[in-house]
Amino acid sequence: MWLKLFFLLLYFMFLFTLARIFEAVVWYETGVLASQLVDPLSLSVKKLKIILECRGLGYAGLADKKDVSQLLHNSGELTHGELYSAIKKETEQTEAGDASSLDFSGEMHFYELVEDTKDGVWLIQVIGQDREALLSKSNWGKMVQKVSQFGIRTGTFNCSLDHRSCIRRGWQRSTLIMSVPQTSASKGKVILKEYNGRRVEPEHIFRWMTSHLSHHMKRLSHLEKLQEEWRPDLLHPLKMFLFASLPQPPVFFSSLSIKFTGRIEFIFVDMSRWDNHSSLLEIGVTQSPAYILKMPEGIYHYGNSTGEFLSVAAMDTFLRSVQPEVNDLFVLSLVIINLLAWMDLFITQGATVKRFVVLIRTLGTYNSILLVSWLPFLESSRKRFGISVDGTGRLPEVKAVQQTRRLLANARERTRVHTISAAFEALRKQMMWFCWVHQAVIANAHWSGSQQSVKRLGKGKSEHPFLSHTPTDLTWKSGRS
C-alpha cells in the first residue's frame, strides 16, 4: 500500500519537473534567446528579404547578399525573436492567401471611410467606367498583402457605380489613389495623391508610397536643427527619433508617425552625411542606428528590452503603453468596473436567484456611473480637437462640406423630378390629342355609314341641330374638334 503511494507521488513529481523544464525552454526561447543578436551575413538572402519586407525597406536593385545585409544592418539590429516572428508571419500570409480589400459602393461610402475618418493611410484602386483596372488581380492581391502589414487599408472604387462622382474628382481613367493626412495635427485634413508612374509593378508603387509617407515626418541632417528639436517642447513633449544612415525611414516607422499624429512627434535624423559624432554622445546617442524616445523624464532606447522588435505591432504596443488613447483608457476602466461588479456575486449571501439579481443591479449601476463620469472627458476631447459640440462629432468644415453636398444632391433631385414631370405632362397632352382624334374618326365612320342609315337619321334632322348638317360638314367639324 505505501509502496503504491510512493510510486504515485514519484510520478507526480516527475510530471511537475518535466513541466518546469518545458517552461524553462519556452522562457529561454522567448526571453534570453529572443533578445540575442543575429549576424545578417549568417542568414540566407531569402530570410534577409523577409526581414526587409517586415520593416518596409525596398531592396530592388540589390543583387549581392552583402548589400542586402548592409541595408538591414543600417535599419537596426536583428534579434532571434524578430527573425522568428517575421518567418512565422510570412508563413501565415502564404497559407492564408491574398488579403481582403474593401469595395466602395459610392461617394458617401468613400467619404465616410476615407476623408471623414482621418486616422490612417488608404490605398484605393480606381477603375474607370468601361475600363480595366490598372493592376491585375494578382498584382493587386500582392499589393494589398504588402501594405496591410503596416496598417495601410486598401479599397476599390468602381466608377461604373458612381460615374458622376468620378467626373467631379477628375478620375477619367483607371488609376491609384493614396490618402494621407495633410498636416501633423490630429484629425486634420486629408489629401488624395494620384500615382502618375509609368510602371505598375508592386515594387515601384510601394516605393512611391514610401517616399510620400516619409514626407510626413521631420527630416534632420544638421546639428543646429537637431539641437533645436532636442530642447524641451511644451507642444510636443514626446518625440521619437530615428538615427540611421538610410535614404528614407522604414515604412513601419513612417506608418506609426501617421497613426500617432498629434500625440508623438516622429523625427528622422539622416546620419549618412553626419560629421560631428561627438555631439551625439553629449545627448546620449551612443550608436547608429538608434530608436530613441525623448520624454520630459529623460530618454529611452527602444530595442534593448525583451519583445521590442523593429516591427509595427511591437513598436505600436510600446508607444501605446507610453501614450495611450482615450479609447484604451475607457476599455481598461470598463474591464475594472465590471470585475468589481462581478465580485458581488460571491460576496452576496443568499440563494442563487438573489445573487444574480444583485449582480445585474450592480452591473447596471456601475456601468451607468462609469458612462456619466466619462462624459466630461469626451467633451474636453471634442474641444481639444475642434469638434463641434452639437452631438454630431464632426469638424465644422466637414459639416459645411456635407451640407453643401446635400444641397447639391437635393437640387439634382428636384431637377430630375421637374424633368420627369414635364415629360409626363407632354405625354399626357399627346395622349389627350390622340383620344380626341380617335373619337372623331369613330364618329365620322358612324355618321357616314350606309345610305339607308343616313336617310333614316335624316328624317329627324330638323329636330336635332347637329344632324341637320351633311356628312361632309360633320366630318369637317369632327376633325376640327
Side-chain angles (χ1 to χ4, degrees):
M1 180 65 183
W2 292 104
L3 186 61
K4 293 181 180 180
L5 291 176
F6 173 75
F7 282 113
L8 181 61
L9 181 61
L10 186 63
Y11 174 72
F12 282 120
M13 292 180 61
F14 173 74
L15 292 179
F16 179 79
T17 306
L18 188 63
R20 296 288 82 77
I21 292 175
F22 287 152
E23 289 181 359
V25 172
V26 173
W27 172 80
Y28 179 76
E29 291 180 352
T30 58
V32 179
L33 184 62
S35 59
Q36 291 182 355
L37 300 179
V38 179
D39 185 10
L41 293 176
S42 61
L43 302 176
S44 61
V45 179
K46 181 179 179 180
K47 292 183 178 180
L48 292 176
K49 291 182 177 181
I50 291 175
I51 300 297
L52 292 177
E53 288 279 351
C54 293
R55 293 185 179 183
L57 292 171
Y59 51 84
L62 300 178
D64 193 6
K65 178 181 178 180
K66 184 177 180 181
D67 297 335
V68 178
S69 61
Q70 183 64 33
L71 177 62
L72 179 63
H73 177 72
N74 291 338
S75 62
E77 295 178 341
L78 178 63
T79 60
H80 281 281
E82 183 182 357
L83 176 61
Y84 173 76
S85 177
I87 295 176
K88 183 180 179 180
K89 189 174 183 179
E90 178 70 18
T91 305
E92 292 176 354
Q93 289 181 352
T94 304
E95 294 177 353
D98 296 338
S100 60
S101 179
L102 181 65
D103 294 328
F104 294 99
S105 59
E107 168 70 14
M108 292 307 299
H109 191 200
F110 176 83
Y111 178 77
E112 290 176 0
L113 294 182
V114 179
E115 296 182 342
D116 196 20
T117 306
K118 307 173 184 177
D119 61 348
V121 184
W122 279 85
L123 179 64
I124 302 102
Q125 180 172 215
V126 179
I127 303 176
Q129 188 176 15
D130 301 330
R131 295 193 180 189
E132 296 182 355
L134 184 64
L135 294 179
S136 62
K137 187 176 181 180
S138 59
N139 286 338
W140 177 245
K142 293 179 182 178
M143 199 67 207
V144 171
Q145 187 176 8
K146 191 180 185 67
V147 301
S148 60
Q149 59 182 339
F150 302 108
I152 301 176
R153 288 166 286 187
T154 56
T156 304
F157 192 96
N158 197 339
C159 290
S160 300
L161 302 177
D162 195 350
H163 184 57
R164 185 177 299 173
S165 175
C166 292
I167 293 177
R168 185 171 60 254
R169 292 180 178 272
W171 298 340
Q172 303 293 337
R173 57 185 179 86
S174 299
T175 182
L176 288 175
I177 302 295
M178 185 176 65
S179 168
V180 292
Q182 185 177 4
T183 60
S184 59
S186 180
K187 299 294 182 180
K189 295 183 179 180
V190 172
I191 57 175
L192 303 178
K193 298 180 180 293
E194 183 177 359
Y195 178 70
N196 296 320
R198 297 181 178 179
R199 307 187 67 175
V200 293
E201 289 81 6
E203 288 294 332
H204 293 82
I205 298 174
F206 186 73
R207 190 181 304 171
W208 166 73
M209 295 182 61
T210 304
S211 62
H212 283 289
L213 291 177
S214 61
H215 294 159
H216 194 265
M217 69 176 68
K218 291 184 179 180
R219 186 186 185 103
L220 307 179
S221 57
H222 300 285
L223 178 61
E224 293 78 10
K225 294 184 178 180
L226 177 60
Q227 291 177 349
E228 182 181 353
E229 293 293 337
W230 198 263
R231 296 191 187 100
D233 190 0
L234 297 178
L235 297 178
H236 302 91
L238 297 178
K239 296 182 180 181
M240 190 70 185
F241 289 87
L242 168 58
F243 297 85
S245 300
L246 293 172
Q248 55 190 10
V251 178
F252 85 92
F253 194 76
S254 303
S255 61
L256 288 174
S257 67
I258 296 178
K259 185 175 182 180
F260 287 88
T261 298
R263 293 185 289 164
I264 301 177
E265 185 178 10
F266 284 70
I267 300 175
F268 172 59
V269 183
D270 189 6
M271 302 291 296
S272 57
R273 298 180 181 179
W274 200 275
D275 297 330
N276 192 0
H277 293 277
S278 59
S279 60
L280 299 179
L281 297 176
E282 295 177 359
I283 61 178
V285 182
T286 58
Q287 61 179 2
S288 176
Y291 296 83
I292 297 179
L293 177 64
K294 187 178 183 302
M295 302 174 291
E297 297 80 11
I299 62 173
Y300 180 83
H301 292 263
Y302 178 81
N304 295 332
S305 301
T306 304
E308 295 181 354
F309 307 141
L310 300 182
S311 62
V312 176
M315 187 171 285
D316 177 61
T317 305
F318 168 73
L319 294 178
R320 289 176 68 178
S321 64
V322 176
Q323 185 71 16
E325 297 180 350
V326 179
N327 189 31
D328 298 334
L329 298 177
F330 175 74
V331 172
L332 179 61
S333 61
L334 184 65
V335 172
I336 295 175
I337 286 295
N338 283 272
L339 288 177
L340 293 176
W342 274 91
M343 291 180 61
D344 284 356
L345 181 66
F346 307 99
I347 297 175
T348 305
Q349 297 180 359
T352 306
V353 178
K354 179 182 177 181
R355 292 185 178 185
F356 277 99
V357 169
V358 173
L359 173 63
I360 294 173
R361 184 183 61 188
T362 308
L363 285 173
T365 305
Y366 284 8
N367 286 278
S368 300
I369 295 175
L370 176 66
L371 295 177
V372 170
S373 61
W374 266 97
L375 289 178
F377 293 98
L378 296 177
E379 189 73 18
S380 61
S381 64
R382 285 197 187 101
K383 293 181 180 180
R384 179 184 176 185
F385 296 132
I387 302 176
S388 61
V389 295
D390 57 352
T392 57
R394 291 187 172 90
L395 295 171
E397 57 268 18
V398 174
K399 290 182 60 181
V401 171
Q402 289 183 344
Q403 185 177 3
T404 304
R405 293 185 177 181
R406 283 196 297 267
L407 292 176
L408 292 175
N410 293 335
R412 290 194 299 267
E413 186 67 20
R414 285 194 298 269
T415 304
R416 186 177 66 85
V417 171
H418 293 333
T419 304
I420 294 176
S421 300
F424 179 77
E425 184 67 20
L427 179 61
R428 188 179 64 85
K429 292 181 179 180
Q430 294 292 334
M431 292 295 295
M432 291 179 63
W433 173 254
F434 175 77
C435 292
W436 292 340
V437 173
H438 185 64
Q439 290 178 0
V441 171
I442 294 176
N444 186 19
H446 178 73
W447 293 111
S448 60
S450 61
Q451 188 67 22
Q452 297 178 357
S453 299
V454 174
K455 290 180 178 180
R456 286 197 304 268
L457 293 173
K459 294 178 181 180
K461 61 183 178 181
S462 59
E463 302 175 359
H464 201 286
F466 182 77
L467 296 178
S468 62
H469 299 281
T470 60
T472 306
D473 296 336
L474 178 63
T475 304
W476 176 81
K477 290 181 179 180
S478 301
R480 186 177 59 180
S481 60

